[in-house]
């Protein structure tokens, strides 16, 4: 059974930084495309960033481009999300997700999900 476990969330002031981590349990982690999504109260789940499984190409949602960076360490079965210049509107539960094939901005395309980690940005 695949498990994804996020960590690194917390409370930060606007303009600050956080790095989220997601550790995956699958033995073939390098063959999975990984994504980060977020969901704020009363809003739909939103694509934040994705990193492809072989080329490690990266993709970002428009609202985080230039501020967030996704990366992965296949030797550690871990995907990261470095978040800089945080804004109050970045406040949400952040989820790690995994799928085969290409990066997708659609949450329904991902097969496996973590439990989420809360990020709160104060103004």
């Amino acid at each position: 059974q695949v498990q994804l476990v996020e960590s690194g969330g917390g409370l930060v002031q606007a303009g600050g930084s956080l790095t989220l981590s997601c550790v995956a349990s699958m033995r073939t982690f390098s063959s999975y495309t990984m994504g980060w999504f977020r969901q704020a109260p009363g809003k739909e789940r939103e694509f934040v960033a994705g990193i492809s499984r072989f080329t490690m190409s990266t993709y970002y949602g428009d609202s985080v481009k230039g501020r967030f960076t996704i990366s992965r360490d296949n030797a550690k079965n871990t995907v990261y999300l470095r978040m800089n210049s945080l804004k109050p509107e970045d406040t949400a539960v952040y989820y790690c997700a995994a799928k085969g094939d290409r990066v997708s901005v659609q949450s329904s395309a991902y097969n496996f999900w973590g439990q989420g980690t809360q990020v709160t940005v104060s103004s």
Side-chain angles (χ1 to χ4, degrees):
Q1 184 177 354
V2 172
Q3 288 188 321
L4 304 175
V5 180
E6 302 100 332
S7 62
L11 174 64
V12 64
Q13 289 188 331
S17 298
L18 280 176
T19 297
L20 306 183
S21 301
C22 171
V23 179
S25 67
M26 55 281 222
R27 289 181 293 176
T28 57
F29 175 75
S30 62
S31 66
Y32 285 82
T33 284
M34 302 300 295
W36 285 98
F37 287 77
R38 67 186 182 186
Q39 190 165 19
K43 295 189 176 181
E44 293 187 354
R45 194 163 292 192
E46 174 190 16
F47 173 77
V48 175
I51 185 165
S52 63
R53 56 183 179 166
F54 296 132
T55 64
M56 294 196 186
S57 298
T58 57
Y59 305 84
Y60 297 93
D62 288 341
S63 60
V64 307
K65 281 180 182 176
R67 300 188 297 123
F68 291 11
T69 302
I70 187 171
S71 61
R72 66 190 296 164
D73 185 339
N74 288 338
K76 296 182 178 180
N77 275 30
T78 302
V79 61
Y80 304 96
L81 185 69
R82 175 66 177 178
M83 305 184 294
N84 294 328
S85 303
L86 283 162
K87 305 175 181 180
E89 50 263 44
D90 294 317
T91 295
V93 177
Y94 283 71
Y95 297 91
C96 171
K99 68 184 299 290
D101 204 14
R102 304 173 183 176
V103 172
S104 173
V105 301
Q106 301 295 327
S107 60
S108 59
Y110 289 77
N111 305 109
F112 305 105
W113 290 85
Q115 81 289 349
T117 186
Q118 176 71 47
V119 171
T120 303
V121 184
S122 63
S123 57

